[in-house]
Amino acid sequence: TLGTVATQPFLKQLAVLVAIALIMTVGVYGLVGGIVKLDDLGMRLVRGGKLATAFGKAILAFAPKFMKFLSIAGTAAMFLVGGGILVHAIPALHHMAEAAHAIPPGWLWENLFNAGVGVVAGAVILAVVTAVQRLRGKRHAA
């Protein structure tokens, strides 16, 4: 968004970015709020007529599976995004990602590389946090 208004005066840039931020925030939180309330909608529909009851039961059966899918997809997305941030920030990794992209289908290999970097970074952080917690626990026990 900033690229499209980069040549505009500062106040116009600010106004556009604030507007986009507000729209995105309301949109994302509205979508999340709707997902969280799926079971409430299903329960309300179950108390209705035949068609509404059937639809409500379908929502109630679907909602837990959908939440499970979102938890897995969200975790995968965090590894992809985090790995991508690291790959773009570290030149050696960026060159490796470019090499992976050269192998057809490039988008797949580049994304797998980003995800792998994200998983490795997450594992390193987990190991460090776990080690610090163990050291602090031993110190506090003494």
Side-chain angles (χ1 to χ4, degrees):
T1 303
L2 185 55
T4 61
V5 293
T7 59
Q8 300 297 315
F10 174 74
L11 287 178
K12 188 168 189 175
Q13 290 180 19
L14 181 65
V16 167
L17 290 177
V18 166
I20 295 296
L22 289 172
I23 291 167
M24 293 300 295
T25 300
V26 169
V28 168
Y29 281 106
L31 179 62
V32 169
I35 291 169
V36 168
K37 291 293 188 176
L38 270 177
D39 57 342
D40 292 341
L41 174 63
M43 289 300 292
R44 182 169 292 208
L45 289 172
V46 165
R47 296 185 211 128
K50 263 189 174 179
L51 183 60
T53 298
F55 192 56
K57 286 181 179 180
I59 290 173
L60 290 172
F62 168 76
K65 294 174 181 82
F66 185 53
M67 293 294 196
K68 179 73 171 176
F69 165 76
L70 287 177
S71 69
I72 293 167
T75 301
M78 289 299 104
F79 283 127
L80 279 167
V81 170
I85 290 169
L86 291 173
V87 165
H88 288 348
I90 301 170
L93 291 176
H94 186 72
H95 293 306
M96 292 170 77
E98 287 175 337
H101 188 80
I103 304 167
W107 63 269
L108 174 65
W109 302 117
E110 184 176 1
N111 281 311
L112 285 174
F113 181 75
N114 288 347
V117 169
V119 168
V120 169
V124 168
I125 291 168
L126 177 62
V128 169
V129 168
T130 302
V132 168
Q133 286 177 337
R134 286 186 179 157
L135 288 172
R136 291 182 79 200
K138 288 180 181 178
R139 189 176 61 187
H140 285 102

mmCIF file of all heavy atoms in Angstrom, residues 1-8 13 17:
data_model
loop_
_atom_site.group_PDB
_atom_site.id
_atom_site.type_symbol
_atom_site.label_atom_id
_atom_site.label_comp_id
_atom_site.label_asym_id
_atom_site.label_seq_id
_atom_site.Cartn_x
_atom_site.Cartn_y
_atom_site.Cartn_z
ATOM 1 N N THR A 1 0.826 -1.195 0.000
ATOM 2 C CA THR A 1 0.000 0.000 0.000
ATOM 3 C C THR A 1 0.862 1.247 0.000
ATOM 4 O O THR A 1 0.586 2.189 -0.723
ATOM 5 C CB THR A 1 -0.935 0.006 1.226
ATOM 6 O OG1 THR A 1 -1.722 -1.178 1.197
ATOM 7 C CG2 THR A 1 -1.834 1.208 1.220
ATOM 8 N N LEU A 2 1.901 1.217 0.823
ATOM 9 C CA LEU A 2 2.768 2.390 0.897
ATOM 10 C C LEU A 2 3.409 2.677 -0.456
ATOM 11 O O LEU A 2 3.580 3.834 -0.830
ATOM 12 C CB LEU A 2 3.848 2.200 1.968
ATOM 13 C CG LEU A 2 4.750 3.395 2.250
ATOM 14 C CD1 LEU A 2 3.921 4.624 2.618
ATOM 15 C CD2 LEU A 2 5.729 3.075 3.362
ATOM 16 N N GLY A 3 3.723 1.643 -1.214
ATOM 17 C CA GLY A 3 4.327 1.829 -2.533
ATOM 18 C C GLY A 3 3.419 2.586 -3.499
ATOM 19 O O GLY A 3 3.887 3.336 -4.339
ATOM 20 N N THR A 4 2.116 2.393 -3.354
ATOM 21 C CA THR A 4 1.190 3.060 -4.266
ATOM 22 C C THR A 4 1.005 4.535 -3.942
ATOM 23 O O THR A 4 0.582 5.305 -4.801
ATOM 24 C CB THR A 4 -0.195 2.380 -4.270
ATOM 25 O OG1 THR A 4 -0.753 2.449 -2.966
ATOM 26 C CG2 THR A 4 -0.088 0.939 -4.721
ATOM 27 N N VAL A 5 1.289 4.941 -2.701
ATOM 28 C CA VAL A 5 1.148 6.349 -2.322
ATOM 29 C C VAL A 5 2.495 6.968 -1.950
ATOM 30 O O VAL A 5 2.536 8.028 -1.323
ATOM 31 C CB VAL A 5 0.144 6.518 -1.152
ATOM 32 C CG1 VAL A 5 -1.262 6.175 -1.594
ATOM 33 C CG2 VAL A 5 0.561 5.728 0.057
ATOM 34 N N ALA A 6 3.580 6.313 -2.338
ATOM 35 C CA ALA A 6 4.925 6.761 -1.937
ATOM 36 C C ALA A 6 5.241 8.179 -2.411
ATOM 37 O O ALA A 6 5.980 8.901 -1.743
ATOM 38 C CB ALA A 6 5.978 5.792 -2.449
ATOM 39 N N THR A 7 4.680 8.582 -3.523
ATOM 40 C CA THR A 7 4.983 9.918 -4.052
ATOM 41 C C THR A 7 3.998 10.982 -3.548
ATOM 42 O O THR A 7 4.138 12.146 -3.883
ATOM 43 C CB THR A 7 4.957 9.901 -5.592
ATOM 44 O OG1 THR A 7 3.662 9.476 -6.029
ATOM 45 C CG2 THR A 7 6.028 8.962 -6.137
ATOM 46 N N GLN A 8 3.018 10.568 -2.770
ATOM 47 C CA GLN A 8 2.014 11.495 -2.251
ATOM 48 C C GLN A 8 2.544 12.200 -1.000
ATOM 49 O O GLN A 8 3.498 11.744 -0.374
ATOM 50 C CB GLN A 8 0.729 10.736 -1.914
ATOM 51 C CG GLN A 8 0.109 10.037 -3.104
ATOM 52 C CD GLN A 8 -0.320 11.009 -4.190
ATOM 53 O OE1 GLN A 8 -0.921 12.045 -3.906
ATOM 54 N NE2 GLN A 8 -0.007 10.686 -5.431
ATOM 55 N N GLN A 13 -0.282 9.760 2.737
ATOM 56 C CA GLN A 13 0.280 8.431 3.001
ATOM 57 C C GLN A 13 -0.236 7.911 4.338
ATOM 58 O O GLN A 13 -0.668 6.758 4.452
ATOM 59 C CB GLN A 13 1.808 8.488 3.040
ATOM 60 C CG GLN A 13 2.461 8.736 1.712
ATOM 61 C CD GLN A 13 3.977 8.787 1.836
ATOM 62 O OE1 GLN A 13 4.554 8.311 2.800
ATOM 63 N NE2 GLN A 13 4.614 9.377 0.847
ATOM 64 N N LEU A 17 -2.623 4.596 4.914
ATOM 65 C CA LEU A 17 -2.152 3.479 5.736
ATOM 66 C C LEU A 17 -3.042 3.249 6.953
ATOM 67 O O LEU A 17 -3.326 2.104 7.307
ATOM 68 C CB LEU A 17 -0.702 3.705 6.158
ATOM 69 C CG LEU A 17 0.318 3.600 5.029
ATOM 70 C CD1 LEU A 17 1.716 3.917 5.538
ATOM 71 C CD2 LEU A 17 0.287 2.228 4.401
#
